[in-house]
Amino acid sequence: SQQGEEDPQALSIQEGENATMNCSYKTSINNLQWYRQNSGRGLVHLILIRSNEREKHSGRLRVTLDTSKKSSSLLITASRAADTASYFCATDALGNSGGGADGLTFGKGTHLIIQP
Amino acid sequence: DAGVIQSPRHEVTEMGQEVTLRCKPISGHDYLFWYRQTMMRGLELLIYFNNNVPIDDSGMPEDRFSAKMPNASFSTLKIQPSEPRDSAVYFCASSRPLAYNEQFFGPGTRLTVL
């Protein structure tokens, strides 16, 4: 079953602008992750934020997590044409083995288009 | 490392035929996951293994689907008999120990059942 729901479903912006995507989820989590999928390719891990963290940065990526609202956002700054892809949030549900690994629950993704 | 390897990349078959998808995880990763992606249902976890042992197969849609992991470097997902509604992209992913579930995905197998 789907846990995360991304918003918006599609987003088109000009190169150089910032892109913000949101994710809501339903159950308590160990962590939340964001993945990117280029057309016809597998998913690539971007960033992971643990349930006790509120914000995390990695290069041009900034992720926030609000566990009280069960929501997360992914901000991509200074977007580039190469950022065109689908972006998925994935949750690792509480009750999973924490430091181990369990199946992730993915949302349906936000399709981001960067116009040159 | 070559990353997660999946074969074949594309498979077209006729309804009723047996289909076998293959996966080689990243060396040293002790978790292996099989996912299915469709437009309607998104990405769904089918089954995952830890140290070659199936841990959770609750996502396997029906008895027509089976998965094995005979050793740490190889897994198969078999569909027998295949049906048109099985058409999807099937991904294999692996994860290393104590990595908080960061998963590395293969390129996927696009299955079309006619």
Side-chain angles (χ1 to χ4, degrees):
Chain A
S1 62
Q2 295 297 324
Q3 159 84 301
E5 293 288 337
E6 289 89 343
D7 167 52
Q9 290 187 335
L11 178 62
S12 181
I13 61 173
Q14 295 295 122
E15 194 167 21
E17 294 181 338
N18 295 340
T20 299
M21 288 158 274
N22 302 297
C23 168
S24 60
Y25 57 92
K26 297 175 183 174
T27 63
S28 296
I29 60 172
N30 288 318
N31 63 66
L32 184 144
Q33 305 174 38
W34 286 89
Y35 287 79
R36 183 187 73 226
Q37 184 179 33
N38 291 88
S39 180
R41 309 287 289 273
L43 281 76
V44 174
H45 182 269
L46 294 176
I47 193 166
L48 179 152
I49 187 165
R50 298 178 198 174
S51 60
N52 62 352
E53 297 176 311
R54 292 296 167 258
E55 186 171 312
K56 201 162 183 179
H57 297 254
S58 177
R60 294 184 295 114
L61 304 180
R62 172 177 169 256
V63 171
T64 62
L65 179 65
D66 186 335
T67 53
S68 66
K69 295 181 179 178
K70 292 187 168 58
S71 67
S72 174
S73 68
L74 172 67
L75 169 68
I76 303 174
T77 60
S79 63
R80 305 167 181 168
D83 295 329
T84 294
S86 292
Y87 291 81
F88 296 86
C89 68
T91 51
D92 181 11
L94 192 65
N96 288 346
S97 47
D102 298 277
L104 295 172
T105 304
F106 286 83
K108 288 197 173 181
T110 291
H111 185 51
L112 175 65
I113 297 173
I114 308 299
Q115 308 276 5
Chain B
D1 201 316
V4 176
I5 299 172
Q6 291 187 248
S7 65
R9 293 293 310 276
H10 302 273
E11 176 82 29
V12 180
T13 190
E14 293 191 344
M15 184 174 63
Q17 296 297 307
E18 177 180 295
V19 174
T20 299
L21 311 181
R22 297 173 177 80
C23 175
K24 176 179 168 55
I26 294 172
S27 177
H29 286 196
D30 62 352
Y31 284 85
L32 183 139
F33 307 84
W34 282 100
Y35 291 91
R36 178 172 69 175
Q37 185 178 36
T38 62
M39 288 295 292
M40 290 297 295
R41 299 176 65 88
L43 263 162
E44 302 173 283
L45 175 69
L46 299 177
I47 185 171
Y48 77 93
F49 296 81
N50 178 218
N51 291 321
N52 313 337
V53 176
I55 303 300
D56 184 356
D57 66 354
S58 60
M60 296 285 263
E62 34 192 291
D63 292 344
R64 299 184 296 107
F65 286 70
S66 62
K68 294 182 180 179
M69 192 165 185
N71 58 62
S73 59
F74 184 65
S75 177
T76 60
L77 177 67
K78 186 174 292 187
I79 308 172
Q80 166 64 16
S82 58
E83 297 183 2
R85 60 193 167 118
D86 301 331
S87 297
V89 181
Y90 290 81
F91 289 101
C92 176
S94 68
S95 178
R96 61 186 185 274
L98 301 178
Y100 292 96
N101 216 2
E102 175 186 340
Q103 297 183 12
F104 294 77
F105 281 74
T109 295
R110 182 174 295 277
L111 173 65
T112 302
V113 183
L114 303 174

